Each structure stands twice: as structure tokens, then as C-alpha cells.
Amino acid sequence: MTPDMLEALQALASDKGISVDALLAALADALESAYKGMPNSEEYAWVTINPDTAEIQVYAQKLDEDGEPVGEPFDVTPDGFGRIAAQKAKQVMMQRIREVERELKYEEYAGREGDIVTGIIQQNDARYTLLDLGRVEALLPQAEQVPFERPDANSRLKAYIIEVRKTAKGPQIVVSRTHPGLIKRLFELEVPEIADGVVEIKACAREPGHRTKIAVLSNDINVDPVGACVGARGARVRMVVNELRGEKIDIVPFADDPADFVAKALSPAKIKEVTIDEEAGMAVVVVPDYQLSLAIGKEGQNARLSARLTGWRIDIKSETQVAQEAAFAEMDWAEGEWVVDEETGEQVWKPAEGGPALSAEDWAAEGSELASSEQDTVTAEGVTPSA
């Protein structure tokens, strides 16, 4: 090998991002394959390349009956071997270079599940979107895309790595725009306190493209976790919202007490009382009448996200509803049973203490009048709170 060839190999290694040693090893394998394709070649042979002098030599050993090498290695380098093997080795060497490149790319991203990457949109259709990450491309499947989010081609997009697959054509990186981890990583980029561990994101619940709730906790009593995430005049959270194309983000303080945490998670609604039923895994929340719709949210979104954030099933009731249930529970219910009237064939209510049987319509009407009468009595006694 001439000095010019060695310089060319060094330039190739630099261009491909491969070490010179790896490239020389690939070249040695390619030359070995070329040698074994020559007539009268030894069965057990290998190629060595001196990295300092670029001298190429082929050594071989004899094999015994069991196929084991015996004796000392001897030099079998053919005359003009470099020129003869050049063309034969080219294809093998290029294949090895591609394999080394694929391995390096895979090692670069292997184990990076959970990281955030920035790519340029190369292809965008209904099935998937391709992101150019520089040396590799990332696949954004339709299932991991935010509904109705269609960024323009050649625009930059941040995504969350959910899987790195090793394939014959190189690493396949699958990313997501809907994963809750994307929220955490974006806040780490914008909030130094989160990156430093001073503020922690304890829980996150998300409906991609619509709304997200996160619960934050400060490990320093002098640092307000919500204020740190919001930033001066909302600058920090605004950067995250802009990256998510306008998705609303609620930031609430984390609390160890389940009742307190549920009350804070339902923000911005004002909560009057929270009762925790640990056996049923449910939190019963009482709110003022005028806060009921705000606590539930549009199509139940606020209550649904709060339940995911806290891990409790949440039952929201207004003060009026609680008072009505209390009055209903205190009513004296008549004993009896439903029977079939022999003459009409209809079901009727037959009181246990005797008296005329009532049809379903009459029974329902009588019950409504009784409930109304009891409610008037409760209101007169001041049990029902004012709105």
C-alpha cells in the first residue's frame, strides 16, 4: 500500500466517522476474501496491515486432519497482491464500511429511549412522517402523531424516542409526539430547576392536542415549583405550549395527602370538600353549585385528567346534590312489594301494612310529592347551604 492510499483511507475514515483501525480491519477482511478467491490459495490464511508502514502481508498455516492449524505461520503474500486484489476487495470493503456505519449509528441511539430529539420533516403523509436527525432518519407513525397536527415540510420538530430497533438496513428510530414523556423533556429544556433536580415532575396526564396536567414538587423550600415552571410572565411554559402547537397546560403543586392532591388537581375549580374512600379507590369531591361545570370540564376533560394525574376515581357532586341525597336518605320508605294485578295484568305496588294497590305511575307520583315535601322541610331548617 502506498502512502497515498493510506492517506485516502484516513480521509475516508474521517468522512464516514469511522476509526482508522476499524477501516484497516475492514480492508484486511476484504483482502483476505480476495486472496481466498485466488487459485492455489491456502485454506487457512489471514491478512495483516501495518498501520505505520501500510505494509500488507498474507500469512497462512497448515491444517491437520481435524482441521486444526499446526506449525508456524508462513508468508504467502502473492506478487503484486495489492494490484490483483484491489478490484475484488472493493465490494467486500464497501460492504464492511456500510456495516460499521450502521453499527455506529445504532450504538449512538441504542439505550436512548426516553430522550428528546429535534429533526427536520422530510416526508409527511397520512401513514407516517419521516424526521431527518442528521445521520439517521426517525419514523413518526400516525398512531404517535397529535390529531390534526400537520407541520410543514422542512420545518423543525421535537419528538420523544420510544423505541430504537436494530435492522439489516441500520437502526430504525421510532418517535412520538403524543407520549407524556415529551412534556417532561420539554420542561427539562426550558426549566433549569427541573434539569438540576430541584423541581420534580411527579405525575403527568395528557390528552394530546388538547390539554395536559402536570404535578410538580420542589426539593427546596425556597423554590416555588409552579412559579419555576411558569417562569416570568409565563415565558417558560409558553415555550412548551408553542412547541406543542397551543396545547393547554395546567401546572399544579404535588401533595402527599390524597385529598389535598385531588383538590389541587381539579384546579382551576374551587373545591369545598374531598372525601377519600381507600377501599373503593374513589375520591368524592363536593364543589359549590357554580363550580360544578368548571370542575368537570368540557366533555369531562378536567375530571378525567385529574383522575389520571392522581390515580383516584373522582366523583364530583354539587352542594345541592349532596343535600338532596342526604334528605333522600332520611326519608321513611314504606314496606311492600311489586305484584301483578290479576285483572289488568300490570305490575302494582302492594303496601305491607295494607291499603289500596298503586300502579307504577301513581307510585312514582306519590314518591315525587313526598320528596318535594321533605326537601321543603330540609330547606326551612337551613340544611341546604346557599349558593
Side-chain angles (χ1 to χ4, degrees), residues 43-115:
E43 183 178 358
Y44 183 68
W46 63 92
V47 175
T48 63
I49 302 177
N50 190 315
D52 298 323
T53 63
E55 182 181 0
I56 300 174
Q57 289 182 305
V58 183
Y59 290 95
Q61 272 185 286
K62 295 296 184 181
L63 300 177
D64 60 15
E65 295 179 354
D66 297 328
E68 298 293 331
V70 294
E72 294 295 325
F74 52 93
D75 191 340
V76 292
T77 306
D79 295 335
F81 176 64
R83 178 183 59 81
I84 296 172
Q87 291 300 321
K88 294 183 178 180
K90 179 179 179 181
Q91 183 177 359
V92 177
M93 183 176 176
M94 293 308 296
Q95 176 64 26
R96 285 299 308 275
I97 289 176
R98 285 192 293 269
E99 291 175 359
V100 172
E101 282 184 317
R102 286 195 292 265
E103 187 65 28
L104 289 176
K105 291 176 182 177
Y106 175 76
E107 291 177 357
E108 180 181 354
Y109 287 93
R112 287 191 59 186
E113 288 90 346
D115 283 356

Side-chain angles (χ1 to χ4, degrees), residues 66-373:
D66 297 328
E68 298 293 331
V70 294
E72 294 295 325
F74 52 93
D75 191 340
V76 292
T77 306
D79 295 335
F81 176 64
R83 178 183 59 81
I84 296 172
Q87 291 300 321
K88 294 183 178 180
K90 179 179 179 181
Q91 183 177 359
V92 177
M93 183 176 176
M94 293 308 296
Q95 176 64 26
R96 285 299 308 275
I97 289 176
R98 285 192 293 269
E99 291 175 359
V100 172
E101 282 184 317
R102 286 195 292 265
E103 187 65 28
L104 289 176
K105 291 176 182 177
Y106 175 76
E107 291 177 357
E108 180 181 354
Y109 287 93
R112 287 191 59 186
E113 288 90 346
D115 283 356
I116 192 172
V117 291
T118 302
I120 300 176
I121 297 177
Q122 295 296 314
Q123 182 178 343
N124 190 8
D125 58 30
R127 297 174 299 164
Y128 59 85
T129 297
L130 289 180
L131 298 180
D132 182 7
L133 304 182
R135 297 180 60 191
V136 296
E137 288 184 338
L139 179 68
L140 178 61
Q142 182 183 11
E144 300 296 337
Q145 297 179 25
V146 176
F148 311 113
E149 182 183 81
R150 291 293 180 268
D152 298 330
N154 299 320
S155 62
R156 290 187 173 274
L157 194 69
K158 287 184 173 64
Y160 182 84
I161 299 178
I162 57 175
E163 186 180 5
V164 179
R165 305 169 184 166
K166 188 173 185 180
T167 67
K169 295 183 179 180
Q172 184 180 61
I173 303 170
V174 183
V175 296
S176 171
R177 286 279 295 176
T178 62
H179 198 284
L182 177 63
I183 304 292
K184 297 182 180 180
R185 292 302 184 186
L186 289 175
F187 271 100
E188 286 180 2
L189 294 177
E190 300 297 335
V191 183
E193 289 84 353
I194 294 180
D196 296 339
V198 177
V199 175
E200 294 182 46
I201 298 179
K202 300 292 289 185
C204 178
R206 184 184 182 199
E207 291 191 356
H210 299 286
R211 192 173 182 181
T212 292
K213 279 181 179 285
I214 63 171
V216 293
L217 174 69
S218 175
N219 295 318
D220 188 341
I221 60 174
N222 298 317
V223 177
D224 175 22
V226 176
C229 294
V230 173
R233 297 182 180 179
R236 291 176 175 177
V237 72
R238 191 183 304 118
M239 294 297 293
V240 178
V241 170
N242 291 341
E243 178 60 36
L244 297 175
R245 304 296 194 271
E247 183 174 317
K248 294 180 175 61
I249 299 179
D250 293 342
I251 305 173
V252 300
F254 178 80
D256 291 325
D257 179 55
D260 188 21
F261 188 26
V262 169
K264 291 176 178 177
L266 286 167
S267 173
K270 292 178 171 37
I271 308 303
K272 183 178 180 181
E273 181 185 352
V274 178
T275 304
I276 300 294
D277 185 348
E278 295 186 357
E279 292 184 0
M282 177 177 289
V284 180
V285 179
V286 181
V287 299
D289 291 0
Y290 69 94
Q291 290 285 304
L292 181 61
S293 60
L294 184 61
I296 296 174
K298 183 180 180 181
E299 298 178 354
Q301 186 181 74
N302 192 52
R304 189 165 54 249
L305 286 174
S306 299
R308 294 180 190 171
L309 189 71
T310 60
W312 294 89
R313 291 189 296 121
I314 298 177
D315 183 12
I316 303 176
K317 300 180 180 180
S318 66
E319 290 179 323
T320 299
Q321 184 180 357
V322 171
Q324 289 175 345
E325 290 179 355
F328 195 69
E330 293 176 359
M331 291 180 182
D332 293 329
W333 295 95
E335 296 182 358
E337 60 179 341
W338 287 99
V339 297
V340 178
D341 189 291
E342 296 180 357
E343 296 181 359
T344 63
E346 297 180 354
Q347 280 193 334
V348 294
W349 174 259
K350 185 177 181 181
E353 68 277 8
L358 300 175
S359 66
E361 291 79 6
D362 295 337
W363 183 85
E366 184 173 317
S368 299
E369 292 177 1
L370 179 60
S372 176
S373 176

Side-chain angles (χ1 to χ4, degrees), residues 1-12 53-54:
M1 186 188 301
T2 65
D4 291 341
M5 291 179 64
L6 185 59
E7 290 181 5
L9 282 176
Q10 292 173 344
L12 180 62
T53 63

